[in-house]
Amino acid sequence: MTELPVTNLLQGKTVLVTGASAGIGRAAAVGAARHGADVAINFSRDVAGAQSAVAEIEALGRRGLAIKGDVADPDTAKDYIARAVEAFGKVDVFVNNAGICPFHSFLDMPIETFERTMRVNLHGAYFMVQAAANQMVRQGHGGSIIAMSSISALVGGEYQTHYTPTKAGLHSLMQSAAIALGRYGIRCNSLLPGTILTDINKEDLANEEKRKYMEGRIPLGRLGQPDDMEGPVVFLASDLAKYVTGAALLVDGGAFVNLQ
Ligand code: NAD
Ligand code: RM4
């Protein structure tokens, strides 16, 4: 695996990432610290994962903090932002990452599975982004908001009929928020990962045939790893992206464009 370059693009910035005890969120949080940021993560249940993410951030010489909360609960958002500000004084970058994808067939989708997916992925994001944006507006020096949408905002999935609308919704939320928040210098963008190997798809990709099919669709020849998301997150978070808002960046090894 190629060694990732290290910069100080996020020096002096405070970065918040939801669902960051594992997977892409953790790679984004630790990655932000590697590029100079102090990082406050949200996590829901995995105390050990959250503690070890904070330890990794601190080992990079940055300040780290883990704040527990279920993003589906609207009160979590205000609590998370308030406690992060209490500890680090401000929020410069907010990464809405927490999400679930309980793969299930369409015709017999349990109501609870549908509703929980909506609440975590989309409602949770709405309240979080709103709370982060209000904090950035109060601070008065702009900011960057990044939503972990998905290639699935653009294409369907047979066992993802509850999930893909949340990812399209996140992308749409970033577009509308970019308009609402542009006057405050707050940029809002989405990242559209392809298939990244994490817990969310471990079971799904345990099916050898499906995994081979997914791999075969990718021009770069491999499924993604969480650290493939580090550079795109750091770029959108940093002032290098100062004129980028309302945009969506596919990070999928070319899977989306590979029709034939
Ligand atoms: P993951 O399961 O490793 O990470 C999801 C994280 O969200 C976990 O840390 C989990 O604890 C947290 N989370 C779940 N429900 C929560 C809740 N109610 N409150 C707070 N935190 C909660 O999977 P991942 O692949 O790292 O997923 C991260 C994001 O990336 C998700 O939004 C997912 O939809 C998106 N994404 C993933 C892929 C992929 O292929 N892995 C592709 C596109 C988009
Ligand atoms: C992504 C995409 C991936 C899937 C994950 C769970 O948005 O659909 O292929 O593995 O979600």
Side-chain angles (χ1 to χ4, degrees):
M1 193 73 49
T2 323
E3 187 90 352
L4 286 170
V6 178
T7 70
N8 54 12
L9 279 168
L10 303 184
Q11 194 87 46
K13 290 194 194 287
T14 297
V15 174
L16 271 59
V17 187
T18 63
S21 56
I24 293 173
R26 183 184 178 122
V30 174
R34 204 192 317 285
H35 295 265
D38 292 328
V39 184
I41 67 167
N42 151 272
F43 71 103
S44 57
R45 283 196 301 260
D46 180 5
V47 177
Q51 282 172 345
S52 76
V54 168
E56 232 186 298
I57 289 163
E58 288 175 345
L60 290 160
R62 307 295 157 198
R63 291 184 293 171
L65 177 67
I67 300 164
K68 195 171 191 312
D70 177 349
V71 300
D73 176 353
D75 291 340
T76 298
K78 282 186 181 149
D79 176 67
Y80 178 39
I81 303 297
R83 289 170 63 184
V85 171
E86 199 177 281
F88 296 157
K90 62 188 176 118
V91 177
D92 300 300
V93 177
F94 178 77
V95 183
N96 193 92
N97 168 79
I100 56 171
C101 181
F103 287 80
H104 203 286
S105 44
F106 177 52
L107 294 175
D108 58 351
M109 177 69 68
I111 293 173
E112 312 77 60
T113 307
F114 171 75
E115 287 188 346
R116 179 69 185 162
T117 305
M118 287 283 160
R119 283 197 191 287
V120 172
N121 294 10
L122 193 53
H123 297 210
Y126 193 94
F127 297 123
M128 277 285 180
V129 167
Q130 188 187 42
N134 270 303
Q135 175 61 29
M136 289 174 183
V137 169
R138 279 193 291 277
Q139 292 168 186
H141 53 79
S144 170
I145 296 176
I146 301 166
M148 211 51 76
S149 173
S150 171
I151 187 175
S152 301
L154 309 177
V155 291
E158 179 175 352
Y159 298 98
Q160 295 177 305
T161 56
H162 50 333
Y163 172 80
T164 60
T166 67
K167 294 289 140 176
L170 270 179
H171 170 47
S172 172
L173 173 61
M174 287 301 97
Q175 292 180 319
S176 291
I179 305 167
L181 300 173
R183 70 185 68 112
Y184 304 105
I186 301 169
R187 300 180 293 101
C188 301
N189 297 289
S190 9
L191 285 171
L192 278 51
T195 302
I196 311 288
L197 294 164
T198 68
D199 290 344
I200 209 171
N201 49 29
K202 206 175 231 162
E203 221 178 289
D204 184 53
L205 295 173
N207 177 335
E208 199 55 31
E209 201 184 328
K210 175 149 187 192
R211 189 182 169 117
K212 285 239 148 55
Y213 166 74
M214 296 300 282
E215 260 163 13
R217 289 196 48 160
I218 302 170
L220 288 184
R222 63 171 178 87
L223 293 164
Q225 293 292 340
D227 81 347
D228 287 316
M229 299 308 300
E230 177 176 318
V233 168
V234 171
F235 167 65
L236 289 177
S238 80
D239 298 341
L240 271 187
K242 65 188 167 69
Y243 200 54
V244 182
T245 196
L249 177 60
L250 273 164
V251 188
D252 67 345
F256 178 73
V257 297
N258 189 12
L259 181 60
Q260 53 179 300

